[in-house]
Amino acid sequence: MDIEDLQTFVAVADARGVSAAARRLGVSKSIVSRRLSRIEAELGVQLLARTTRGAALTEAGITFRDHAARASAEIDTARETILPAGDLRGRLRVAMPLSFGPTHFAPVLAEMAHQHPQLQIDTSYSDRFVDLIAEGFDCAIRVGYLQDSNLIAKRIGPIDGKLVASPDYIKTRGSPQTPAELVTHQALMQGTEAWQFMDGDKIFTVQPQGRFKADNATALAAAAVAGLGIAWLPDCITHDYVTSGALVPIMTRYPPPSAGAYVIRPPGQHPARKVRVLTEMLIKSFELNPHLWGLGR
């Protein structure tokens, strides 16, 4: 049985579709379909039931998937073992936030590509919520507070932030002094998120309201400078604005809990070595460049 056919089946099973698996593997959908047909013909059973939404595992496919995944993992481990020390090859698909990716994370990926010339790196920059499995990504970098999910997360560094508003907004609307007063103000938000604040060991949760929303932190900072409302933003976004006086920290007695940056990957017993290497490089980047994130200011 061809190992590429086996790995392709696992990719389709995990991504729940041919298109997502093809993106993850870096091949055409027709190649994926041919590999699936070969493995089903060799086994003499149907492993996947094609649907309008993608592909669903049959009973035989559910049973075979776990065995195929273990076999594929063993082959990957064997390949890594015989490669030159530290060498990586294959393809790494990464989803990164547009707000920080090009400026803060892209240099780490460039260094990774430089150190591993046989590795192909494919990066997507977007602030939308990416479905790693359905869209065929090996991992993603997410910033902020993590929601519960079946994905596996590794924290790579802290992200501190604060509430800010422009001097014009404060002059016109005033400055809230407590979390409860925020509900009477215009909030600049990414969606319908809740804001949390600390008072000693206690945490207060507020559901802010506002008419201006954007899925990008830089856009929210610009809206805050324009006097449209109050924003919760990371220090690395607001530092220059605060230094120049274009934005003013407010309600500093109740700071938000520290957030974080994370590498997220699909569930599995062991991460691929390329994901482990990227994670380690990102952790080191945080340690060596705290000024990029406004830490310690």
Side-chain angles (χ1 to χ4, degrees), residues 35-57:
R35 290 175 180 175
L36 289 175
S37 296
R38 281 200 302 265
I39 200 168
E40 287 182 327
E42 185 163 349
L43 291 171
V45 296
Q46 184 179 4
L47 299 175
L48 291 155
R50 280 68 168 179
T51 69
T52 56
R53 294 185 178 181
L57 290 173

Side-chain angles (χ1 to χ4, degrees), residues 57-124:
L57 290 173
T58 63
E59 185 176 353
I62 293 173
T63 301
F64 188 68
R65 186 263 168 211
D66 291 339
H67 294 285
R70 285 196 295 269
S72 297
E74 288 293 337
I75 291 296
D76 287 340
T77 300
R79 283 175 172 167
E80 291 178 356
T81 301
I82 63 175
L83 285 174
D87 200 10
L88 295 174
R89 66 175 63 187
R91 191 163 181 254
L92 175 65
R93 293 198 74 228
V94 187
M96 288 197 179
L98 181 60
S99 296
F100 306 96
T103 54
H104 291 66
F105 297 127
V108 178
L109 281 177
E111 178 60 25
M112 187 177 185
H114 179 73
Q115 293 181 14
H116 303 280
Q118 296 187 73
L119 180 67
Q120 300 177 48
I121 299 178
D122 182 353
T123 312
S124 175

Side-chain angles (χ1 to χ4, degrees), residues 63-295:
T63 301
F64 188 68
R65 186 263 168 211
D66 291 339
H67 294 285
R70 285 196 295 269
S72 297
E74 288 293 337
I75 291 296
D76 287 340
T77 300
R79 283 175 172 167
E80 291 178 356
T81 301
I82 63 175
L83 285 174
D87 200 10
L88 295 174
R89 66 175 63 187
R91 191 163 181 254
L92 175 65
R93 293 198 74 228
V94 187
M96 288 197 179
L98 181 60
S99 296
F100 306 96
T103 54
H104 291 66
F105 297 127
V108 178
L109 281 177
E111 178 60 25
M112 187 177 185
H114 179 73
Q115 293 181 14
H116 303 280
Q118 296 187 73
L119 180 67
Q120 300 177 48
I121 299 178
D122 182 353
T123 312
S124 175
Y125 294 94
S126 173
D127 284 328
R128 70 180 179 85
F129 188 85
V130 174
D131 187 331
L132 298 189
I133 298 175
E135 298 183 47
F137 286 97
D138 294 295
C139 64
I141 296 177
R142 291 183 182 162
V143 175
Y145 303 106
L146 290 185
Q147 298 178 347
D148 292 336
S149 75
N150 65 336
L151 301 175
I152 297 175
K154 173 68 176 178
R155 192 171 188 265
I156 56 175
I159 303 290
D160 292 333
K162 59 173 64 76
L163 283 185
V164 292
S166 71
D168 286 343
Y169 179 89
I170 295 172
K171 182 178 179 180
T172 303
R173 298 290 303 273
S175 176
Q177 300 300 309
T178 66
E181 294 178 18
L182 273 174
V183 296
T184 63
H185 286 264
Q186 285 290 320
L188 308 174
M189 302 178 292
Q190 293 196 14
T192 58
E193 71 270 17
W195 288 354
Q196 291 186 329
F197 303 95
M198 300 182 68
D199 182 9
D201 294 333
K202 297 180 181 179
I203 295 181
F204 296 91
T205 300
V206 177
Q207 297 287 343
Q209 302 296 320
R211 63 185 180 88
F212 189 95
K213 297 180 180 180
D215 64 354
N216 180 274
T218 305
L220 292 176
V225 171
L228 294 179
I230 296 171
W232 181 101
L233 292 168
D235 290 344
C236 56
I237 295 290
T238 62
H239 175 71
D240 290 343
Y241 292 115
V242 171
T243 300
S244 68
L247 290 176
V248 178
I250 61 175
M251 214 174 77
T252 54
R253 179 186 167 188
Y254 300 92
S258 180
Y262 301 84
V263 172
I264 311 295
R265 65 176 177 87
Q269 187 174 6
H270 300 291
R273 189 157 71 95
K274 56 192 175 184
V275 175
R276 295 201 309 269
V277 170
L278 174 61
T279 302
E280 292 164 1
M281 293 181 68
L282 288 167
I283 291 173
K284 185 175 181 180
S285 176
F286 260 89
E287 293 173 348
L288 295 178
N289 304 289
H291 59 283
L292 289 178
W293 298 97
L295 301 174

